[in-house]
Amino acid sequence: MFDVSVIEEPAAAEVALDPVRARLLALLAEPHSATSLAALVGLPRQKVNYHLKALEAHGLVELVEERRKGNMTERVLRAAAASFVISPIALSAVQPDPARSPDRLSARWLLALAARLVRETGQLITGAEKAGKPVATFALDGTVRFASAADRAAFAQELTAAVTALVSRYHDEAAPGGREHRVIVAIHPVAEKES
């Protein structure tokens, strides 16, 4: 089971977003049969089986084992990943495009960049899985508490200068066999936790 899997197909996104199926996916972090899930969600086993088949058809759940019970075979399934992200490619006609309005200070532009990051990383993961190779990525995540808006602006200015200097030092447009890598640095307020 993967930690995170990316849903790229519109039909798979539709299946995963159904409230009953989303609940089943969450419960399938641990292996279950249709019978054990039916008891947990309070639905008939046949209805749960119907939803499980839809999830399985789109690769969102996988068979763990089959158990013989009398004259029946009980199928035990689990989610293909602990969590799922729906790529903007699933809504290709309306997916965000950061090139439409590049405004470094806009939260909506940051969201478009994040959507592109999900789309591109999802495509890399999918391609790497097919090729049986790892994806070379790197990420930083942290928080900083600014005393004032002026401090935040100064930080952004210094961060821009530092990243620009690093990029100019290592970027080689003419490198034979070189491969471009996208660099995204973002600063946003941390959302308040619901109580």
Side-chain angles (χ1 to χ4, degrees):
M1 175 191 292
F2 296 112
D3 289 335
V4 180
S5 187
V6 180
I7 298 172
E8 294 178 328
E9 295 297 320
E14 182 180 357
V15 165
L17 289 172
D18 175 87
V20 172
R21 293 173 185 157
R23 185 169 177 210
L24 293 175
L25 271 176
L27 290 169
L28 285 167
E30 299 293 325
H32 282 282
S33 67
T35 304
S36 64
L37 284 171
L40 291 171
V41 297
L43 291 173
R45 182 186 53 77
Q46 294 85 348
K47 191 162 201 125
V48 170
N49 233 348
Y50 166 78
H51 291 300
L52 290 175
K53 286 182 184 194
L55 291 167
E56 192 173 14
H58 292 284
L60 301 171
V61 299
E62 57 194 17
L63 182 65
V64 174
E65 68 175 305
E66 291 183 329
R67 299 177 189 151
R68 196 81 179 131
K69 286 202 165 187
N71 63 350
M72 290 180 42
T73 301
E74 181 179 58
R75 301 178 80 237
V76 178
L77 302 163
R78 74 168 177 207
S83 57
F84 295 88
V85 174
I86 297 176
S87 171
I89 206 164
L91 296 169
S92 61
V94 292
Q95 66 180 309
D97 180 2
R100 277 192 209 124
S101 109
D103 174 2
R104 293 185 325 172
L105 301 177
S106 164
R108 295 189 189 283
W109 188 63
L110 175 57
L111 189 59
L113 286 175
R116 182 179 67 194
L117 176 66
V118 169
R119 184 187 73 233
E120 290 179 351
T121 307
Q123 290 172 321
L124 287 169
I125 289 169
T126 300
E129 284 174 2
K130 287 178 183 172
K133 294 183 177 183
V135 180
T137 61
F138 173 77
L140 289 174
D141 181 32
T143 57
V144 58
R145 186 178 183 96
F146 297 109
S148 67
D151 285 353
R152 184 187 65 234
F155 179 87
Q157 205 168 18
E158 286 183 48
L159 183 62
T160 300
V163 171
T164 301
L166 269 174
V167 168
S168 64
R169 184 179 324 145
Y170 289 98
H171 179 69
D172 185 347
E173 190 70 40
R179 183 171 184 186
E180 288 187 354
H181 286 68
R182 189 171 305 283
V183 177
I184 297 174
V185 179
I187 300 172
H188 64 83
V190 174
E192 291 184 25
K193 295 178 183 168
E194 294 180 19
S195 43

